[in-house]
Amino acid sequence: QVQLVESGGGLVQPGGSLRLSCAASGSIFSGYIMAWYRQVPGKQRDLVARITNGGTTNYADSVKGRFTISRDNAKNTVYLRMNRLEPEDTAVYYCNRIGALVLSWGQGTQVTVSS
């Protein structure tokens, strides 16, 4: 069974940076668009950033210019570099495919931005 394992979250002050990683068991990345999502308790899970197999990226307006998504298909890993973090970025972050190709969700990684 394919598993997605997110890591790299933590507590950071406003203006700080974090780098999230998402590793998968099995070769599930190659050829697929991969994405990072985030969810705040009581709200829906929102797509934050996505990247095609060829490296084309798209971002939600709220993170554009601050977050960078990247991938390493050989390592079955997708990354999210987050700079200039704001309290509004506080959420559990998940990675997955998009749309109808979504796999079972991992446990996510908590990001808390607070002074």
Side-chain angles (χ1 to χ4, degrees), residues 8-96:
L11 173 63
V12 62
Q13 293 186 341
S17 298
L18 284 173
R19 187 199 194 203
L20 307 183
S21 299
C22 172
S25 58
S27 180
I28 67 163
F29 286 175
S30 183
Y32 295 98
I33 296 173
M34 295 300 300
W36 281 96
Y37 303 78
R38 66 186 181 187
Q39 188 172 27
V40 175
K43 295 190 176 181
Q44 69 178 18
R45 187 177 285 131
D46 293 326
L47 192 149
V48 172
R50 62 182 187 177
I51 183 168
T52 68
N53 192 59
T56 300
T57 58
N58 293 95
Y59 299 92
D61 287 343
S62 58
V63 306
K64 200 171 295 184
R66 300 188 297 122
F67 289 11
T68 303
I69 187 171
S70 60
R71 64 191 293 163
D72 186 335
N73 289 339
K75 296 182 178 179
N76 296 327
T77 303
V78 62
Y79 305 97
L80 186 69
R81 176 68 179 181
M82 306 185 295
N83 295 327
R84 305 200 312 274
L85 283 160
E86 304 169 352
E88 293 73 24
D89 297 317
T90 296
V92 179
Y93 284 71
Y94 303 86
C95 72
N96 213 316

